[in-house]
Amino acid sequence: MPRNPEITSVLVLGAGPIQIGQACEFDYSGTQALKALREEGVRTILLNSNPASIMTDPERADATYLEPLTLAVLEKVIERERPAALLPTVGGQTALNLAMEAHRAGILERHGVRLIGAQPEAIARGEDREQFKALMDELGLDTCRGGFAHSMEEARELVRQTGFPAILRPSFTLGGSGGGIAYNVEEFEAIAQKGLDLSPIRQVLVEESILGWKEFELEVVRDLDDNVEIICGIENLDPMGIHTGDSITVAPILTLTDPEYQRMREAAKAVIRGVGVETGGSNIQFALDPETGRIIVIEMNPRVSRSSALASKATGFPIAWVATKLALGYRLWELPNVITGRTKAAFEPVLDYVVVKVPRFTFEKFPETEPVLGIQMKSVGETMAIGRGFQEALQKALRSLEEGHQGLAGGLEGKLDLSRLKEHLLTPGPQRVFWIYQALKAGHTVDELHRLTRITPWFLQEMEEIVVLEGRLRGFPLHRLPGELLEKAKRAGFTDAQIAAFCGAKEGEVAGRLKTFGLARAVKRIDTCSGEFQAETPYLYQTWEQFSEAPPTDRPKALVLGSGPNRIGQGVEFDCCCVQAVEAIRAKGVEAILLNCNPETVSTDFDISDRLYFEPLAFEDVKAVVDREAAGGKLLGVFTQFGGQTPLKLAGRLQAAGVPLLGTDHKAIMDAEDRKLFGGVLEKLAIPAAPWGTAVSAPQALEVASRLGYPVMVRPSFVLGGRAMAIVFDDAGLERYMREASLVSEDRPVLIDRYLENAQELDVDLVCDGERAVVAGVMAHIEEAGVHSGDSYAVFPPLGVEEGILEQVKAMSRALAFELGVRGLLNLQWALKDGVPYCLEANPRASRTVPFISKATGVNWAGVAARIGLGESLAAQGVEDGKPLAVAVKGVVFPFAKFPGVDPVLGPEMRSTGEVMGLGATFGEAYAKALQAAGMTLPLSGTVFLSVNDLDKPMLPELVKRLASLGFGLCATEGTAKALEAAGYRVRRIHKVNEGRPHAVDLLKNGEIQWVINTPKGKNAFSDEDSIRRQALRLKIPCVTNMSAALAACEAVETLRGEVAVRKLQEL
Amino acid sequence: MLAHLILKDGTCFNGFAPLGRGGGGEVVFTTAMAGYQEILTDPSFAGQMVVMTFPEQGVYGVHADLDEAAKPWAAGLICRRLTLQPDHARSLGDLAGWLKRHRIPVIAEVDTRALTHHLRDFGAQPGLVWTEADGSLAAGKAAAAQLPDMSGQALAALVSCRDRYEIPLPGAKFRVAVLDGGIKASILKQLTAAGYHLEVFPWDAPASELTAKRFHGLFLSNGPGDPGALPGMRKEVEAAIGRLPIFGICLGHQLLGQAFGGSTFKLKFGHRGANQPVLDLATRRVQITAQNHGFAVDEASLPPEVEVTHRHLSDNTVEGLAHRTLPIFSLQHHPEASPGPHDARGAFARFGRMMEAFHA
Ligand SMILES: Nc1ncnc2c1ncn2[C@@H]1O[C@H](COP(=O)(O)OP(=O)(O)O)[C@@H](O)[C@H]1O
Ligand SMILES: Nc1ncnc2c1ncn2[C@@H]1O[C@H](COP(=O)(O)OP(=O)(O)O)[C@@H](O)[C@H]1O
Ligand SMILES: [Mg+2]
Ligand SMILES: [Mg+2]
């Protein structure tokens, strides 16, 4: 059956901002879906609020709506575009939920829009745990014993059946928050009670615990003829009890016999048929009891997921692309296997390599929460590695994390306190594999470790083999290291640096030793079929083998380095820049080679670049690719400016090794990154900067601070995303910081800046070719300086900033670009205080805001920079300073809900995971949309609770005037209330939490407060403040922690009261 | 010890022979990712050294319930990594030890992907394992050049049972004669599970016995070697046609093809794996199947009364046959799987329905 001709236009729902559990894998699946649709001549309409995504590039769809993913907006878009169908399965949970809302609201029916991919009934059966359990019983499939409780009585009844430990999961809470494992009655009572409170429908799932069982995932695809195939089986190294998203996982499934696997495969077929997912990909999770072989169905996701992105990269089978074609009516056997080109998509991929995925965490940014892994996902990103064995893949994946480990060995050597070994093995944390490695080194047996961790012994044995290898390597000086052992080490994934360290030599010397034995890396191809058929697709990885394939071409070529695993501070926006750069390079007839290790991304889709190397962004691996590619054709050089800080860190060594850099060279990078050098540059250009100093000791710090005057901004050197940055208000605070500041030393001093209070922060992105410097855009932050640029809302054009000052900032920015010698992108942050612009920092690379500004100006700035790198001047490209297509506001989303107990106040340490964009005719409209898109629903009426610090009191009257004119009621605590009454306003006084009841939190709980405006009183703020903010967060009551934001919000409320229009990028 | 795998055409691959010297046979690859024990004990692999394209082998050890025959029949195992410490709750021991006990040569640490490419491009061919102890590389290549090809090899006699035996099933509705050309245990299991009382005959049993009155149907098994080299079996099958319902798998399917007057030919490198897509031409449904064959039935050579019911989606070769008027059908792939997906298992019931109708 060819495709359904009635489907002439399709509305695709994106996933919105990056959140924990929903990252750039949905940019990948959405981009593939759009591609698959357009190939069929289908008119494509996209709704997604995330500007940092490739899919929202205007040329990817016929109509692109960068608008909030809300029901109202969806209906407006449908009314304007009249799509024949809606595809809800490539935009994660967000898209699925919105589609279901629209279905229930009758919107789809009313406008004659059909859902394709999955029908509402099927989605409900798959998503609603209660229906799903019932269905499994019908199918005779095993699920965890337990059930749903709507009261403590029911809960207690259920736990009597399940026993302890018991798994509790409240229904429909933010990111599954509030769930947990109860080991005893006490914990049970607590979690159950909290769960019932948290669940909007007062429902908690109480389940038998199967902690320690093996966990598996199958990626399943089905077509309209009910042809079902398993694209990939994934085995979790971490057992049940650790969320698959937080587990180290392996593909294919390694430790099951064929009969065991086939039973799971048959179950998967039954599930997808039973749920009735018509077409496309689904993800089904299983648990298996290693003792009895009993198989339990955990859950299914009737849509493509993070795991299906992983499966696509692991196998080469483009699940989202195929799923979309199937949704159009094609059958699997009618679709080509695009990797081989000569076979069909109807088959099951087979691997002749092992894939390992390792999650990346950022607990350090949320010190209030324990770095412990459980049934709720906490990781913000992941890396994937490919090897011709598990050991090699594991070490490559760990190396790809960029957390300073070369691999498993030497990971946290000496950094772990072995006296706490047992507890770290028992309670899984982000670094458990390294603890395991140290434990094995310390002589603990595989059996012991298995008992403590429940990790399948085979994996532990493989790690033990790595330990043994390390031991053998240590037995030789490099010049006597036997070739057979050296080859073994390389095949096990050891780096030259590790081997050198073990054999007491320098890293550089290992290469020589390898030559002596004629040992070299080989390149192999991912082909979906283990070599059974010839595949031309250059989707490649490096390993240690006798023969290589896919020889380099004889074309001119350029290598683009990707951005590695997602993390807070470096996410999808950099992948977006990499992809745009790659496409610009290809358009110039130069072969674009991309290297990256993040399986979620668009950049690692095999047909984005001319050649894709799925490799760690580590010097040795990158250099090997460079050498190989340089062996054929002409390697023009390497781009290090698109992948964020990751490639930038490699630039120095690459250049030193004689590898030409395209674009900004290493000296310029150093001048900008090194605080002292940069200070010099600023002085030379007479550009104002906040007075600053450095200190390696508390006394020194106090001395510097007294010179600069409080408050001061302190941070360790060499950090990213404002890591461990803080504003300190007095000596006591500074002493505390110096005490807590980790690893301060002569060469890693603490940087201390005068904190520019109530300063307006500006972000500038520009491109420079040496001749000219063109300003892509200047963005004005809503929150004042002190809130990390990545965490603050920002508006373009920079409304409210005087023309004169703006010109001055642009001029100085250009001057800096020339002085530094930037070739390509440069990002600057400025703080305006009393009309004077101070330069905060310069990043000679793509920035978080480049995709945003590209969409706001209609210019692909990463592409411009790439062409500069290839020698095409700005004049030749004919680009001018960016002009706004509309008022654009960047909004941000935070993962606070996932980290219970965290104070959601903003500061210089970046903590947001993703961004959204609001476009409007006025600031109010754009800001309102940005807030909506970020999930912040402002109240249009009701009572506002005000509590602001003294610094902010001066701004209070203006704010209150706005609020009052909008008809909001006011309530405040003592201090603020006084100030308000003084200004002649009627205020309801309420107690602070420690002043007796009813206090602020009581009112919040009673729904007497609809909006919290609370500006914190600095680090040593009263404890009740953050308890108020945390309550607001829990109760989903909007909480603004910043005056300028509060003022802006008033404007937003005004707009929201009126009619809000939607626009597509293509019409701006 | 360090070793080489030398192919008949002189191509040479480095490796390591953990169990020592020896090993030779037709080198074929299978892309099945699990199931090494079933594969090595499958009589259809007699005389063949099997390349496992998946690099990690032996992970879950060897199991009591995974043998397809009383002993491994493959002539050797060629792989990338061989786990020496297996891990599985029900494992009896490690693969290497098991192979050693059964004197099955192994060569590991081989670039199996490059080897697979070579077999794909230049065809499956004989090869041998060569160590220093065996002499110079040149000598090895000379020896390899002398190896006999699989075409023309009749191996049924080697792997078939010597004497007739029964697998009784009290109360069974049908009694089936099974012609054993090297049958897999799991085929017998599936036939029994389908509810048939089985009598298994050696490969050279005459049609007169196979079609005795007491039988409701005849099953023709899988087996190794070149179907073209078994004229005797072909003749008996031909004689059985029309007397009772017949169901053939793999070699059995090829013999039927010949008995119908068709011919078989050697595929360049065969179909071996657990992910082989087969299209059922009647239902237009796809089955993911387990396959293991180096020869195929030549469609053009088939008479009009025989129809092609299944096709391989990758190369359109014949995967299933049925007689238009007589109750006879056969499959090139392996519905019993083991190892592999169970999508095609319905075939055993189909045989039952056929006997049902015939004897109604
Ligand atoms: N009954 C259970 N016992 C132990 N661990 C469980 C149980 N149910 C779920 N888990 C763990 O919690 C994780 C998340 O559960 P899941 O149902 O997949 O929720 P999500 O929708 O967040 O993926 C699973 O990956 C598994 O490791
Ligand atoms: N001297 C200062 N005064 C006020 N705010 C500052 C000062 N220095 C930095 N900040 C704030 O801290 C944030 C992070 O500082 P920045 O130098 O940009 O670090 P990063 O490299 O993490 O972006 C900035 O976005 C700004 O809001
Ligand atoms: Mg899950
Ligand atoms: Mg910054």
Side-chain angles (χ1 to χ4, degrees), chain B residues 113 267 332 350:
Chain B
R113 179 165 170 87
L267 294 162
Q332 179 62 77
R350 179 181 167 198

Side-chain angles (χ1 to χ4, degrees), chain A residues 225 227 260 262 265 269 346 348 352 388 390 456 458 461-462 491 524 527 531 545-547 549, chain B residues 14 53 56 80-81 83 85 87-90 109 111-113 117 120 275 277 285-286 339-340 343:
Chain A
D225 279 347
N227 293 313
E260 286 172 318
Q262 296 306 336
R265 186 180 178 280
K269 280 161 64 183
E348 294 190 349
D352 58 6
R388 286 274 290 164
F390 169 72
T456 299
W458 186 80
Q461 280 159 12
E462 290 292 298
R491 287 186 163 204
K524 297 286 185 187
D527 65 3
E545 282 288 18
Q546 195 180 351
F547 301 96
E549 54 195 293
Chain B
N14 303 338
T53 59
E56 295 282 3
R80 173 65 167 75
R81 291 195 74 225
T83 291
Q85 303 163 285
D87 160 41
H88 193 288
R90 288 175 300 287
E109 300 299 316
D111 187 339
T112 47
R113 179 165 170 87
H117 283 172
R120 176 192 75 199
N275 71 332
R285 294 279 294 278
V286 179
D343 293 5

Side-chain angles (χ1 to χ4, degrees), chain A residues 965-981:
Chain A
S965 67
L966 287 167
F968 282 99
L970 305 174
C971 65
T973 48
E974 191 71 23
T976 312
K978 275 215 187 72
L980 289 176
E981 280 152 354

